[in-house]
Amino acid sequence: DTKDGYVPTLSNNDLTATATGGANNWHHGRSTLGFTTGKWYWEVTASGNAMIGIEPTSEDIDRQYFNEGTSAGLASRDGWLSFGGTDVVTGQTDWSDGDTIGVAFNANDGYIYFYINGSLSYSYDSTMSNSVFKKPAYSVYGGWTLTFNFGDAGFDETPPTGYQAVATQNGARES
């Protein structure tokens, strides 16, 4: 899923998103697969300071950037985490270009964990409903690039115990 106005350029079997065209604009998108409940893990390698997280598919994807306004999504960048458009975690260690960012999301209770190169950096207990369908989401800006790893060829880091790859064989599905 991608934003209509500024669609990121997708490559690498749609696992890499780059903001091209409209270099001074955010380019927003979501993964193809999502889930309602369960414990899920994916990794992202960033070039630039993009936003990554998760959001319900009921949120309008055609907006300026991920987690804009009253969104029910969880978005992270610059060592902060925003939920529903409000900063709920600030002043944490941020990732650098080339770092492996691990995202673990417990869709049963709304907990999200961010790992940088295998070490837990920060987490948050949201009230995101376990009855809504949600997907990993992102926004890239200018020439920034994000490369996703949903575990098809294994992960760079070890996922937390009980968390699984966002894959159809684990129950993830399209919506």
Side-chain angles (χ1 to χ4, degrees):
D1 303 337
T2 56
K3 180 179 187 253
D4 294 334
Y6 295 100
V7 176
T9 300
L10 300 176
S11 60
N12 184 30
N13 291 321
D14 293 342
L15 293 173
T16 299
T18 304
T20 57
N24 295 321
N25 294 290
W26 287 97
H27 298 67
H28 181 62
R30 297 182 190 126
S31 70
T32 302
L33 298 177
F35 41 80
T36 303
T37 60
K39 292 182 175 181
W40 303 94
Y41 179 80
W42 63 96
E43 294 176 340
V44 183
T45 302
S47 171
N49 199 5
M51 295 182 205
I52 60 172
I54 188 161
E55 69 182 358
T57 57
S58 58
E59 291 294 318
D60 180 11
I61 198 164
D62 195 25
R63 56 189 188 278
Q64 183 179 356
Y65 55 86
F66 176 37
N67 213 32
E68 175 187 22
T70 60
S71 169
L74 286 156
S76 181
R77 87 181 264 256
D78 287 334
W80 58 255
L81 181 66
S82 179
F83 178 55
T86 301
D87 291 349
V88 293
V89 174
T90 60
Q92 302 302 305
T93 301
D94 194 19
W95 56 77
S96 299
D97 287 357
D99 284 346
T100 298
I101 306 152
V103 182
F105 182 70
N106 184 336
N108 300 322
D109 60 20
Y111 277 80
I112 193 164
Y113 305 87
F114 284 89
Y115 296 81
I116 300 175
N117 297 323
S119 296
L120 180 64
S121 184
Y122 49 98
S123 62
Y124 181 70
D125 176 12
S126 77
T127 56
M128 188 179 293
S129 172
N130 64 3
S131 66
V132 298
F133 193 76
K134 47 202 126 335
K135 292 182 173 183
Y138 64 90
S139 287
V140 289
Y141 188 87
W144 297 344
T145 300
L146 294 174
T147 300
F148 288 82
N149 177 358
F150 292 108
D152 288 340
F155 289 113
D156 292 338
E157 304 294 340
T158 303
T161 301
Y163 285 77
Q164 56 192 356
V166 180
T168 54
Q169 65 267 28
N170 294 330
R173 59 185 174 83
E174 293 184 36
S175 106

